[in-house]
Amino acid sequence: DVSHISDSSFYDVLACSTKPVVATHSCCRALADHPRNMTDDMIRELARRGGVIQINFYPVFLDSSFAVQLDESGIFDRGEKIEAAFIADPADHEKRKAWNDVQKELLALKRPSFRLIADHIDHVVSLSGIDHVGLGSDFDGIAVTPAGLEDVSMLPKLFEELRSRGYSEDDLAKIAGGNFLRVLDERVERVLERGVPEAVVDQLAPPLFDTALVAAELTLEGDVLEFLVRGDQRDRAGRLVDLAALDADEAVLDHVE
C-alpha cells in the first residue's frame, strides 16, 4: 500500500515489486495539490504494473480550496487536542460533548460535494482506464466528509452520479471493489506459486474480500510458513478455521495458536 509514502518511496516500491501494488486511499494531485495525492505520472506507472488507486473521500484531498478553508478556520489544530482527550477518556460526557461540537463545526464548513469523488475517478480513468480505480473512503480516519456523503448509507448517490456520467454496471462493479479484488487474486496466485499448501489458502481466502486474507500475508521463512488468523480462528464468512486440517508443521501451528 503506497498511500502514505513519499513520491520517491513510491517509485522505489514499483522498482522492487514483482506484483501489482495499491494506493488504498489517495486522490489525484492534478485536481487537488496535496502531497498525499498522486501525480499523473504516478497513476500511470501504478496502472502500468496492474495496480489500483482507490479514491479517498477526505475533502482536503478532493479540493485544495477546502484545505485552505479548514486551515484558516483553526478547527483542525484545536480539534486534534479535543479528539485526543475524548479518545483517552470516552466515558467523560464533557469530553464527548466537546468532540461532538468540533464535528458540528466541521460539518458547518462549506464542504465540497461528493461529486468531486466522481471527478477524481474520471481523471484516473482518463489516464489509465477503468481497471485501475476504486473507492478508498477512509471513513475510519477522516475528520470530515464531503457534502452529501456523510456515511456509507449514502454511497448509492455516488454510484448514481457515476451512472449519469456514462459508467456501465460492469464499470461500477470494478470501481466498487472488483479492481481491488483482482489485485488480491494475483497476490494469492503469488502465494501458490511459492508452494504454500492450497489448504491454507482455501481455509483463509474465501470470500476474497476479507481482512483474514489480508492478514494472511503469507511469507516463507525457510520451511516455516508464518501467517495470522483472526483471534477467534474463524474466517470472514464465519467458518471455523480447522488448524488440524492445515498441511503445516508444528512450528506453524504453534505460531497460529
Side-chain angles (χ1 to χ4, degrees), residues 7-225:
D7 291 5
S8 60
S9 293
F10 166 84
Y11 288 107
D12 287 344
V13 169
L14 291 191
C16 294
S17 179
T18 60
K19 288 292 182 179
V21 298
V22 294
T24 58
H25 53 306
S26 298
C27 293
C28 306
R29 204 175 297 177
L31 302 186
D33 188 13
H34 193 285
R36 275 282 277 100
N37 290 345
M38 299 177 67
T39 67
D40 286 0
D41 183 70
M42 293 167 76
I43 293 169
R44 290 191 190 98
E45 288 301 306
L46 184 80
R48 190 167 69 85
R49 290 164 171 79
V52 176
I53 173 175
Q54 301 195 131
I55 302 303
N56 196 313
F57 294 3
Y58 190 32
V60 170
F61 301 159
L62 293 171
D63 182 5
S64 296
S65 64
F66 181 81
V68 174
Q69 180 189 174
L70 180 61
D71 184 56
E72 292 177 346
S73 73
I75 298 173
F76 190 82
D77 291 336
R78 176 166 45 83
E80 275 198 325
K81 297 176 182 177
I82 294 173
E83 181 185 22
F86 165 64
I87 290 173
D89 188 11
D92 186 297
H93 294 295
E94 289 302 317
K95 292 176 181 177
R96 180 181 294 275
K97 181 181 182 303
W99 174 233
N100 286 339
D101 288 343
V102 168
Q103 291 180 300
K104 290 176 183 177
E105 285 187 75
L106 288 168
L107 291 174
L109 294 174
K110 187 177 180 181
R111 295 170 291 141
S113 167
F114 72 93
R115 292 181 177 85
L116 266 67
I117 298 169
D119 291 348
H120 282 257
I121 291 171
D122 283 346
H123 188 73
V124 175
V125 172
S126 73
L127 294 172
S128 304
I130 192 63
D131 294 323
H132 305 285
V133 66
L135 302 180
S137 69
D138 206 13
F139 273 136
D140 65 323
I142 58 178
V144 64
T145 62
L149 198 53
E150 284 72 21
D151 58 55
V152 293
S153 71
M154 301 178 182
L155 278 172
K157 293 169 61 175
L158 175 58
F159 289 107
E160 283 303 316
E161 174 66 21
L162 292 170
R163 286 188 185 94
S164 74
R165 299 185 184 206
Y167 288 90
S168 69
E169 294 306 307
D170 285 343
D171 293 338
L172 297 182
K174 290 181 177 182
I175 294 169
N179 288 334
F180 187 68
L181 291 178
R182 171 181 54 77
V183 175
L184 287 184
D185 267 331
E186 294 191 23
R187 298 295 289 179
V188 171
E189 288 172 8
R190 179 183 70 84
V191 168
L192 293 175
E193 287 168 2
R194 294 173 66 178
V196 175
E198 290 194 38
V200 173
V201 178
D202 290 342
Q203 288 277 357
L204 295 177
L208 276 178
F209 193 65
D210 184 351
T211 54
L213 177 62
V214 177
E217 176 59 29
L218 304 172
T219 59
L220 287 173
E221 301 289 343
D223 293 329
V224 178
L225 172 66

